[in-house]
Amino acid sequence: MIFAPVIRHSAYLPGLRITDRQLERFLGQTLQQAPARRGEQPARFEQTEQDFTLELDVPGLSREQLQVELGSNTVRIDSVADAPRRYQAAYELPQDLDPSTSSARLENGVLTLKLSKKAPVALHTRLNID
């Protein structure tokens, strides 16, 4: 497979950074949609009004060997350096997350992330007239 070189410095063109991120997303999605290797299951994803639920198979890893980091609308799962196997995944979600009410549970090699959606902030406030 051959890829054309991409300039990664945004000083050349203001829109280049957006195009570069779009290319990274495309390549990431393409690689994530590749067929599972040796019986591995892809992530299972569900969405409700209040939260996202993400289930990942991480056999052979314990709670202490996994790190879950939440960004505004991203979740990143990494194994620590001394873990018996390497695991790394990142997902971008369509809505901002609320880390204070989100949770993670590891049971029988399945990591279940319950990621709460952040409540939308009202942009308009009604003032009472005195």
Side-chain angles (χ1 to χ4, degrees):
M1 189 176 284
I2 299 173
F3 290 100
V6 176
I7 300 170
R8 295 191 57 93
H9 194 281
S10 61
Y12 292 105
L13 294 171
L16 183 62
R17 184 175 175 97
I18 294 170
T19 305
D20 193 28
R21 292 185 85 185
Q22 290 171 343
L23 176 64
E24 287 178 11
R25 280 191 197 130
F26 170 75
L27 292 175
Q29 289 172 354
T30 303
L31 294 175
Q32 286 177 357
Q33 292 174 0
R37 293 174 291 187
R38 285 186 265 136
E40 289 183 24
Q41 293 285 331
R44 291 166 299 283
F45 179 79
E46 292 179 16
Q47 179 178 356
T48 64
E49 290 278 327
Q50 296 82 20
D51 56 32
F52 301 104
T53 302
L54 188 63
E55 289 184 352
L56 306 158
D57 291 331
V58 290
L61 295 174
S62 67
R63 289 180 187 89
E64 297 80 22
Q65 296 168 334
L66 286 171
Q67 296 177 341
V68 179
E69 296 178 10
L70 296 181
S72 60
N73 69 332
T74 58
V75 60
R76 179 179 302 275
I77 304 105
D78 289 311
S79 59
V80 295
D82 60 344
R85 65 179 275 238
R86 183 77 180 131
Y87 188 87
Q88 184 176 17
Y91 300 94
E92 184 174 347
L93 300 168
Q95 192 171 345
D96 286 346
L97 302 173
D98 185 5
S100 64
T101 57
S102 296
S103 65
R105 185 180 77 229
L106 182 64
E107 191 173 305
N108 297 326
V110 177
L111 178 64
T112 304
L113 303 174
K114 192 127 183 136
L115 307 169
S116 300
K117 295 179 182 179
K118 189 174 273 189
V121 177
L123 299 176
H124 301 280
T125 305
R126 185 172 296 232
L127 293 176
N128 292 327
I129 302 171
D130 293 330

